[in-house]
Amino acid sequence: LNLDDMLRYQAIRTQTALPLIIPSQKKLTNANIKWLQSNGMNAVMLGAICIGQTADSIYESIRQLTK
């Protein structure tokens, strides 16, 4: 995530109490996930760019993000 993404998500969060699902086609890190959680985002929808397209890459990517 970059600063523009973070500011946009914070602005949306302040405008609604509804659950927020963040779609991502960007490579996310553990720090990104922690930031999203700590700033009130409820879930992340991971795209193929984030997790890959093979069973092994999907497994490994999700394992790394959920540590």
Side-chain angles (χ1 to χ4, degrees):
L1 295 176
N2 59 42
L3 182 58
D4 288 337
D5 296 328
M6 294 172 161
L7 292 174
R8 185 176 324 110
Y9 296 149
Q10 280 183 324
I12 294 168
R13 175 75 286 164
T14 62
Q15 296 173 12
T16 185
L18 295 172
L20 288 179
I21 300 172
I22 305 300
S24 185
Q25 289 293 325
K26 296 182 179 186
K27 180 74 173 165
L28 297 175
T29 65
N30 284 340
N32 295 146
I33 298 296
K34 288 177 184 176
W35 184 90
L36 290 166
Q37 288 175 329
S38 68
N39 283 275
M41 308 311 138
N42 301 99
V44 176
M45 185 177 0
L46 300 171
I49 292 173
C50 299
I51 60 174
Q53 297 181 352
T54 68
D56 289 340
S57 68
I58 292 168
Y59 173 82
E60 186 59 29
S61 296
I62 292 175
R63 188 179 74 77
Q64 290 295 320
L65 289 174
T66 57
K67 280 185 175 180

